[in-house]
Amino acid sequence: QLYKETGRISKLKATRSVSRSGFVTITLRDSFRNRYRNSNKEAWGRFESWLMAKNVDVEVIQECEQAPLDLEYRMSLYCAADMNFGVANGPMSLCIFSEAPYMTWNWFDAGGEKVQYDQRTLMAKQGFPEGSQFAFRNERQLLVYEKDDFENLVRGYEQMMLKAAA
């Protein structure tokens, strides 16, 4: 809404740099709260193996509840990465509100679980219906409204890489 009203938004920036390049990150969510939003570990493990078989350097980052990671270091990794993959969660917001590339899955899917509120309805009421993208995003940033299963992860990656090559 702020971006729509002002035409701009201040983006987060890394305060450190890492001496690394040519890698992607996978941020895994494994929270005891809202378990339906957790990463599909089996699918992400397969996706990591698939990427590594393509000689992609992969950095797996655990959810901050289980394995806290210095915020500045996390942000520097996200900003240096060729792509950042994950599900909708707090750490991935660092990418969303920066220029760091990202693809995030599981935006509205409760996986059949009974949840406290209907995320689709809430977001639609706020002017952000399913399928929306942030107006301030760049061409290497994408919200994916699909489950994080292996096939969707691979398809999303391939589509993004084709787009980047064009």
Side-chain angles (χ1 to χ4, degrees), residues 47-64:
F47 184 58
E48 177 188 4
S49 296
W50 182 83
L51 288 170
M52 291 172 65
K54 293 181 153 306
N55 294 318
V56 175
D57 182 12
V58 180
E59 172 88 17
V60 176
I61 303 171
Q62 299 298 320
E63 170 72 39
C64 57

Side-chain angles (χ1 to χ4, degrees), residues 20-139:
R20 186 175 174 193
S21 62
F23 69 99
V24 301
T25 70
I26 294 175
T27 299
L28 297 176
R29 184 177 198 278
D30 185 19
S31 177
F32 64 89
R33 284 178 258 131
N34 299 322
R35 287 188 173 99
Y36 70 91
R37 292 180 54 201
N38 285 346
S39 300
N40 176 344
K41 287 184 181 180
E42 185 272 330
W44 286 105
R46 283 183 63 199
F47 184 58
E48 177 188 4
S49 296
W50 182 83
L51 288 170
M52 291 172 65
K54 293 181 153 306
N55 294 318
V56 175
D57 182 12
V58 180
E59 172 88 17
V60 176
I61 303 171
Q62 299 298 320
E63 170 72 39
C64 57
E65 282 180 35
Q66 313 303 329
L69 183 64
D70 178 79
L71 180 66
E72 290 180 287
Y73 178 67
R74 182 187 292 268
M75 186 66 179
S76 67
L77 281 176
Y78 287 156
C79 288
D82 291 340
M83 182 53 68
N84 299 287
F85 300 103
V87 295
N89 66 36
M92 291 303 290
S93 295
L94 293 173
C95 296
I96 290 169
F97 295 106
S98 74
E99 293 296 335
Y102 67 81
M103 293 184 75
T104 61
W105 280 261
N106 283 4
W107 272 85
F108 293 152
D109 189 6
E113 283 191 34
K114 183 176 179 169
V115 295
Q116 181 179 357
Y117 55 88
D118 178 359
Q119 181 96 3
R120 279 183 178 88
T121 302
L122 176 66
M123 296 299 281
K125 282 182 181 179
Q126 295 175 351
F128 201 81
E130 185 170 353
S132 296
Q133 299 292 323
F134 291 111
F136 52 82
R137 75 183 181 99
N138 66 45
E139 68 280 350

